[in-house]
Amino acid sequence: LSPSRLKTVELPAKMSRLLGKLSGKQVEGELQKAQAVSNQHVAAMVRNVDCPQGQAAHMQTAKAYMSSRLSGDQATCLRLVSDNIHFVSQRDGEFQGKAPFQQYLGRTKVEGTWNEPRIGEGGLVHIDGQIKWMGVLPVAVKGVFRFGRDGRVEELFVGKR
């Protein structure tokens, strides 16, 4: 988001106060830092690959996961992930294992719009999306899926694109 674009967005009072303390350049810098952290995490995911990725079945699983997540179908989401799922949300933190992941699903509202799956770095499946930071500013995000040998999602990262 460019500083000039930032000036054209109407902001709620709470966000205006928060951003009033930051210049457009500082906000842009924070978004760039978030993107760098995101890229580093995805690179680590690629290094952890121990079986073929990006297969047609993986694309279908990622699409089914996102569809289920958006519709609130936790049972299907849980069926598609490994018992030892490693979930990392750049906004909400890190969750290891199905029980903590299930708790996360139950308490975290889904938001944004999400595209069709694509093959990204290291053959990992990516789904690009857009959310609104603090309910106002559009931010490009991605979901990155690493699959295990059994075809279920072993690691899922959601963060800045």
Side-chain angles (χ1 to χ4, degrees), residues 9-154:
V9 177
E10 283 194 35
L11 304 174
K14 179 181 176 184
M15 189 159 182
S16 291
R17 285 191 302 276
L18 172 69
L19 290 177
K21 297 175 184 176
L22 299 174
S23 69
K25 197 171 199 174
Q26 288 171 313
V27 170
E28 179 118 356
E30 290 302 313
L31 290 173
Q32 287 174 352
K33 284 183 203 172
Q35 185 175 22
V37 169
S38 173
N39 291 341
Q40 289 170 358
H41 187 86
V42 172
M45 288 176 75
V46 170
R47 287 191 299 273
N48 288 330
V49 166
D50 65 353
C51 63
Q53 301 289 305
Q55 299 174 347
H58 297 151
M59 300 285 279
Q60 291 171 349
T61 298
K63 186 174 183 170
Y65 172 86
M66 191 55 72
S67 175
S68 299
R69 183 72 174 108
L70 290 169
S71 71
D73 181 357
Q74 285 186 35
T76 299
C77 288
L78 293 170
R79 183 177 52 77
L80 297 172
V81 302
S82 159
D83 290 343
N84 199 30
I85 178 71
H86 182 206
F87 176 75
V88 178
S89 165
Q90 205 166 2
R91 177 188 69 188
D92 301 319
E94 197 165 336
F95 304 86
Q96 183 74 46
K98 217 173 231 186
F101 182 62
Q102 183 175 12
Q103 290 172 353
Y104 168 82
L105 291 176
R107 73 172 184 260
T108 307
K109 181 183 169 225
V110 178
E111 63 178 304
T113 57
W114 298 86
N115 299 329
E116 293 294 312
R118 67 177 178 81
I119 304 299
E121 299 96 321
L124 299 177
V125 176
H126 288 226
I127 299 181
D128 297 330
Q130 184 168 314
I131 62 168
K132 293 203 175 181
W133 182 52
M134 297 188 77
V136 179
L137 293 176
V139 175
V141 293
K142 62 186 171 192
V144 181
F145 298 75
R146 183 174 61 82
F147 291 86
R149 294 182 186 281
D150 63 359
R152 293 187 298 165
V153 180
E154 256 185 31

